[in-house]
Amino acid sequence: MRNLLFLSTVIFLLQSCGSKNYQFIDNTVTINSEGGSYQIAALSENIIKVTYSDSITYGDRNYSPVLTTPVQVTVTDTDQNNLVLSTQNVDVKIQIDPPAFSFWDKSTGLKLGEEEGYSRDSTTTKLRFNIQDNEAFYGTGARAIDMNRRGQNLLIYNKPHYGYQNGADALNYTIPHVMSSSKYMLLVDNPAKANMDLGKTQSDILEYSSEGGNMAYYFINGQSYKELMNNYTNLTGKQPLVPIWAMGHLQSRFGYRSQAEAEEILQKALDAGYPVDAIILDIYWFGPELEDGQMGRLDWDLDKWPEPKKMISDFAEKGVKTITVSEPFFTKKSSNFQYLSDNKLLALNKEGNTMTIPNFYFGEAGLLDIFKPEAKDWLWNEYKKQKEYGIAGWWVDLGEPEMHPQGMMHINGSADEVHGAVGHEWTKTMFEGYAREFPKERFFKLGRAGFAGSHRYGLIPWSGDVGRSWSGLQAQPSILLSMGISGLGYMHSDAGGFSMGEQNAELYIRWMQYAAFTAIFRPHGDANAAPSEPVLWDEKTQELVRPSVELRYKLLPYNYTLAWKNNSTGVPLARPMFMEFENVSDTIESQYMWGESFLVAPIMNPGVSSKNVYFPSGNWYNYWDNSKVTSTGYEEVTVTMQNIPVFVKEGSFIPSIQPIQNTEEYDAEEIDVTYYLSSTLSSDKLYIDDGITPQIPAQAEFQLLEFDAKPEQDNLMFMVKTLGPGIDGITSDRTLNFTVVGLNGKIKSVTHNNTDIEFKWDESTNLLKFEFNPESQSIIKIEYN
């Protein structure tokens, strides 16, 4: 270590003297220019950080990343004004005067280069990059526009859009992050109000311009989209596993106005046989008023909710968790406003006094300054009180913040300067408090706004107050997939639509069918216009909606394994077609992949009897009837009201279970596994744990079943391995009920580790069924002719 320090000092002294105006120390290149100081460092073999600072600009804050320590690099002078900083995979070519940087993949060449370094005018600081012809850009957060953002000038500023429709280009959760079709990402770690011009003003220039804030950006390299997702979430953190109940049916509306109403409608759903895992209590739990009300009270209105502890306990006995909604605003009528104002815990005006928002819809209010340590402590103690009531999860609404006046000041900057970090810091405060106080439980929090990296604190975003219309539904896939590209793999929508539209059974059915293939299944909307709960619709509508609710539970093993894969790799649960099949055009946006196996083509218009679906190369099986599609390209698929087009990729293993009423009934003792025949090798995994305990790597209890298929001319072999340390309280002895789809001919025998087992073969449907109890390694051999 002493020798390394000496060597670094020598390098520093050598390179900071003479005519060279740069320093290299602690694996960081520093360039001191006439305008300010630049620092360039590698945080991994594929991630480069560049910061800029001067007398009025800073770049030393970390919002997005968990990686902050530079790794070892080499620096080579190429001439008096140029040098190269190198990792194993990336070369950064650095021009010293004027400072400018370009990023080169060592295998494929130039990926991104600055047109010029940082520049500033009277109001904004800018970054400008040269971009390539035909280069596409994805990401930038939630926007109801085409996934390819090339040619757009996009506002980076979280803002609500009540009743939005398809075409809304700025919504609740925006992120200064893009993924390029040239296989790199660019992330600007600045939550300030900004714009990202992706070739609109000047076709060959990407320009980022902000109104102050933290001037740091990251170049992230990769060879594939999935590698990019892993590298990006290595930088910004991986999403923790959600509690398994979060993947069930979350019953919700705006809103239940009393304990009696919530109890009555939940019981009606349970009596009708609907599986339910949670009920969400919106704004009315702390007061009956909407406008000019008591937002921020954070305590029960005992007139309408006389026995909240008993109610929550009764729900829990039925396997139903309780989630309450809260907001970052505190109206002057709320019981907490005066205390918060007196103790300077609300955001201030420039004179140092509490700043209220007179025209706030819910009543004149202040905004908690979540960046103040004292405010964080106060807030967490309030949430902890509700946890002691039995609350299992939280929903924080209006967290953009919905209203954030320019003159408002936080402890760490102005409203515009820190705007994007408010929801991020709120989630961090709750996540860290929960981990500290309840270390044996997973954290659950819905929120409609945050920043890059908020997912590592367990944030589950939804797409805001979407209009109840076909246009509102059409907006959802692009939002879902674009947010996933920026690391938010649990984006979902208010299924059925939130506001403004009239009751429409066909729309509700199609939205619920789509929502079954998103990360969170949560019907929600303004109950004054249309019911959110399936049980409150007419019998015909219920007949068509019920299968979507039940499908969430049937596919629980598959969906929960997707959650584990997201936690492990950063790849979102829902993926654009081009993420799974890189030769597929990014213009295919009306369908997507749910994990590696399901191709989902939602129905987004009324009266549809067929849909043109694109099939990548290989065989695809219709999930509903097992019919096979062998062609590549577009094919017209028949559509009925019973379901939307869903197809399974050949070679897939789809784990599922028989009907249950809530996830507490899932014990993994008996699992159905359907294999869809392919002529090539294939493999997959099934992840099992207790669904509750945070997965700390050194202490993790889990089981992992690995499936491999090896098809040959006259036989098919499966290898099933059981891995992992096991799970306390969950048996390792289980039954796998296998179904093989697509075999032809006559089945001669099925063996498990060389012992014959019983099977059922239906030649009319080409379905083979058998069951076995897997050992640490099981080999299944199917012989046929």
Side-chain angles (χ1 to χ4, degrees):
M1 177 63 72
R2 198 176 302 168
N3 290 337
L4 284 174
L5 289 172
F6 174 73
L7 179 59
S8 294
T9 303
V10 170
I11 292 171
F12 167 68
L13 290 172
L14 287 174
Q15 295 180 332
S16 62
C17 65
S19 61
K20 296 186 178 178
N21 193 20
Y22 77 92
Q23 301 166 355
F24 178 51
I25 187 169
D26 293 335
N27 288 301
T28 300
V29 170
T30 300
I31 300 173
N32 295 307
S33 70
E34 184 178 339
S37 177
Y38 297 79
Q39 291 192 321
I40 309 95
L43 302 182
S44 79
E45 304 300 331
N46 284 296
I47 299 171
I48 309 298
K49 178 180 183 180
V50 179
T51 65
Y52 172 78
S53 60
D54 59 29
S55 60
I56 60 172
T57 304
Y58 56 87
D60 57 351
R61 296 185 186 179
N62 290 310
Y63 297 98
S64 304
V66 294
L67 297 180
T68 57
T69 303
V71 300
Q72 187 172 355
V73 295
T74 61
V75 171
T76 306
D77 292 340
T78 55
D79 60 39
Q80 289 290 319
N81 197 43
N82 293 276
L83 59 146
V84 179
L85 180 148
S86 298
T87 71
Q88 288 183 354
N89 300 330
V90 176
D91 285 334
V92 184
K93 296 186 178 180
I94 301 170
Q95 176 180 286
I96 299 172
D97 187 18
F101 318 109
S102 60
F103 305 90
W104 298 68
D105 182 285
K106 288 189 173 181
S107 299
T108 59
L110 176 66
K111 288 204 169 178
L112 178 67
E114 291 186 353
E115 185 208 38
E116 60 183 14
Y118 287 95
S119 62
R120 187 174 60 234
D121 59 27
S122 59
T123 59
T124 60
T125 305
K126 298 180 181 180
L127 284 165
R128 288 169 61 88
F129 299 91
N130 295 306
I131 52 179
Q132 302 171 33
D133 293 343
N134 302 317
E135 186 175 2
F137 293 102
Y138 318 106
T140 74
R143 305 176 194 277
I145 57 176
D146 290 347
M147 285 184 61
N148 183 359
R149 315 302 206 201
R150 182 73 181 256
Q152 301 277 349
N153 185 5
L154 300 172
L155 177 65
I156 307 294
Y157 187 81
N158 299 340
K159 55 185 287 189
H161 188 157
Y162 185 78
Y164 72 87
Q165 310 286 331
N166 202 19
D169 65 359
L171 293 171
N172 311 77
Y173 202 139
T174 63
I175 305 174
H177 164 261
V178 290
M179 179 173 75
S180 166
S181 57
S182 296
K183 306 300 189 301
Y184 70 85
M185 290 180 172
L186 177 68
L187 168 65
V188 184
D189 191 26
N190 186 3
K193 187 175 185 179
N195 277 79
M196 190 167 272
D197 188 331
L198 299 163
K200 180 177 178 63
T201 303
Q202 192 171 337
S203 63
D204 59 348
I205 295 293
L206 184 163
E207 180 180 281
Y208 171 85
S209 57
S210 72
E211 299 180 13
N214 188 56
M215 301 314 297
Y217 73 84
Y218 298 84
F219 168 84
I220 302 145
N221 188 47
Q223 303 304 315
S224 68
Y225 293 125
K226 287 188 175 181
E227 183 186 353
L228 282 173
M229 291 306 309
N230 190 43
N231 292 341
Y232 174 74
T233 51
N234 285 340
L235 172 66
T236 59
K238 295 292 196 288
Q239 176 107 22
L241 268 172
V242 295
I244 195 168
W245 59 261
M247 307 208 77
H249 170 208
L250 311 186
Q251 181 172 306
S252 183
R253 63 156 54 188
F254 181 70
Y256 298 107
R257 292 177 179 264
S258 68
Q259 179 176 333
E261 183 181 44
E263 290 172 336
E264 177 188 354
I265 296 176
L266 175 61
Q267 193 59 51
K268 187 171 185 176
L270 296 175
D271 290 344
Y274 284 98
V276 181
D277 259 277
I279 184 169
I280 298 173
L281 308 181
D282 210 323
I283 192 171
Y284 299 108
W285 70 276
F286 52 73
E289 307 93 350
L290 187 59
E291 299 178 56
D292 196 23
Q294 298 187 60
M295 180 175 286
R297 180 180 176 188
L298 299 181
D299 201 0
W300 294 87
D301 173 16
L302 296 179
D303 289 338
K304 296 291 186 179
W305 307 81
E307 298 180 289
K309 285 188 177 180
K310 182 179 185 302
M311 175 192 70
I312 293 166
S313 176
D314 290 347
F315 289 166
E317 287 182 7
K318 298 170 184 178
V320 178
K321 312 296 186 293
T322 302
I323 299 167
T324 54
V325 176
S326 57
E327 299 82 11
F329 295 93
F330 293 79
T331 64
K332 295 185 78 170
K333 283 190 175 182
S334 74
S335 55
N336 289 313
F337 176 86
Q338 198 61 50
Y339 172 84
L340 295 172
S341 180
D342 290 347
N343 287 275
K344 302 291 186 183
L345 300 184
L346 300 174
L348 308 175
N349 58 26
K350 291 180 180 179
E351 288 72 40
N353 301 315
T354 295
M355 183 173 184
T356 60
I357 307 168
N359 58 337
F360 185 54
Y361 176 78
F362 299 96
E364 185 173 356
L367 175 68
L368 190 73
D369 190 351
I370 191 60
F371 303 105
K372 284 186 176 179
E374 302 88 347
K376 293 181 184 184
D377 291 343
W378 178 87
L379 179 69
W380 171 246
N381 286 330
E382 293 300 309
Y383 281 127
K384 185 180 175 183
K385 292 176 188 175
Q386 295 308 313
K387 174 63 178 164
E388 291 165 355
Y389 272 73
I391 296 299
W394 287 276
W395 172 339
V396 177
D397 205 352
L398 316 185
E400 295 80 16
E402 180 165 299
M403 297 190 75
H404 206 191
Q406 274 192 327
M408 184 172 279
M409 301 300 296
H410 295 265
I411 193 173
N412 58 335
S414 67
D416 280 355
E417 190 177 358
V418 301
H419 179 79
V422 173
H424 180 79
E425 198 69 23
W426 202 283
T427 305
K428 177 183 177 183
T429 298
M430 295 180 70
F431 177 82
E432 291 179 345
Y434 208 86
R436 184 173 60 250
E437 303 276 359
F438 307 103
K440 295 184 179 181
E441 296 181 33
R442 295 180 193 170
F443 176 61
F444 177 91
K445 176 186 176 284
L446 293 167
R448 73 184 191 190
F451 190 59
S454 295
H455 57 271
R456 70 173 174 269
Y457 301 123
L459 179 65
I460 298 173
W462 86 98
S463 61
D465 294 342
V466 57
R468 187 185 296 107
S469 66
W470 290 101
S471 181
L473 175 57
Q474 290 158 13
Q476 297 313 305
S478 176
I479 296 172
L480 169 79
L481 300 173
S482 297
M483 285 289 282
I485 285 170
S486 291
L488 283 300
Y490 286 83
M491 174 53 82
H492 66 289
S493 64
D494 290 340
F498 179 76
S499 64
M500 297 174 67
E502 297 179 355
Q503 185 166 328
N504 183 322
E506 184 181 5
L507 174 66
Y508 182 74
I509 292 162
R510 292 306 193 195
W511 211 314
M512 293 285 277
Q513 290 170 341
Y514 157 74
F517 292 94
T518 63
I520 302 294
F521 185 77
R522 186 184 53 82
H524 181 76
D526 185 347
N528 292 322
S532 300
E533 304 88 346
V535 72
L536 299 184
W537 286 78
D538 61 86
E539 187 173 327
K540 181 179 178 181
T541 300
Q542 287 193 56
E543 288 176 1
L544 294 169
V545 167
R546 184 185 294 270
S548 295
V549 183
E550 293 172 343
L551 184 62
R552 286 296 293 190
Y553 290 84
K554 178 179 180 180
L555 290 178
L556 182 62
Y558 179 86
N559 292 345
Y560 191 60
T561 299
L562 283 188
W564 167 74
K565 290 177 180 178
N566 170 257
N567 169 256
S568 304
T569 68
V571 177
L573 290 77
R575 300 99 183 256
M577 295 297 296
F578 64 79
M579 186 174 285
E580 285 295 321
F581 308 96
E582 293 201 9
N583 60 337
V584 171
S585 170
D586 65 5
T587 61
I588 299 174
E589 298 191 16
S590 63
Q591 61 187 68
Y592 61 92
M593 294 298 296
W594 180 240
E596 299 91 344
S597 298
F598 283 104
L599 188 162
V600 180
I603 299 304
M604 302 273 169
N605 290 288
V608 172
S609 59
S610 66
K611 179 162 181 170
N612 210 20
V613 177
Y614 182 88
F615 293 94
S617 61
N619 295 327
W620 294 84
Y621 293 84
N622 189 315
Y623 180 65
W624 311 114
D625 63 14
N626 293 325
S627 60
K628 187 162 65 172
V629 176
T630 58
S631 59
T632 299
Y634 282 101
E635 183 161 323
E636 199 74 13
V637 174
T638 300
V639 173
T640 68
M641 281 303 300
Q642 278 66 36
N643 49 58
I644 59 176
V646 177
F647 292 83
V648 183
K649 185 177 67 175
E650 64 173 333
S652 295
F653 293 87
I654 305 298
S656 60
I657 55 173
Q658 295 299 306
I660 57 175
Q661 283 305 108
N662 57 66
T663 56
E664 290 181 5
E665 297 181 6
Y666 174 51
D667 57 16
E669 288 187 10
E670 189 167 349
I671 297 175
D672 301 331
V673 180
T674 304
Y675 168 75
Y676 294 83
L677 186 68
S678 174
S679 60
T680 60
L681 300 175
S682 63
S683 63
D684 210 338
K685 296 178 175 67
L686 168 63
Y687 178 81
I688 302 166
D689 66 16
D690 67 6
I692 301 169
T693 309
Q695 292 298 72
I696 302 168
Q699 307 168 19
E701 293 185 355
F702 67 93
Q703 290 181 339
L704 193 64
L705 273 64
E706 289 189 347
F707 303 100
D708 291 281
K710 183 181 179 182
E712 296 185 350
Q713 183 69 27
D714 56 0
N715 68 75
L716 171 63
M717 292 185 66
F718 298 124
M719 180 181 290
V720 181
K721 294 181 181 179
T722 303
L723 307 173
I727 312 155
D728 186 32
I730 297 180
T731 181
S732 297
D733 298 326
R734 61 178 51 88
T735 300
L736 297 183
N737 301 311
F738 251 75
T739 300
V740 180
V741 178
L743 281 171
N744 290 300
K746 183 176 182 180
I747 307 301
K748 295 167 61 177
S749 66
V750 180
T751 61
H752 173 214
N753 289 346
N754 297 317
T755 300
D756 286 336
I757 58 175
E758 294 184 1
F759 64 89
K760 294 181 180 180
W761 167 242
D762 187 333
E763 195 168 348
S764 64
T765 59
N766 291 341
L767 294 181
L768 171 66
K769 296 178 181 289
F770 57 90
E771 66 179 54
F772 65 99
N773 302 110
E775 301 172 9
S776 59
Q777 179 169 298
S778 292
I779 296 177
I780 304 294
K781 186 172 183 180
I782 302 165
E783 293 189 330
Y784 53 90
N785 55 26

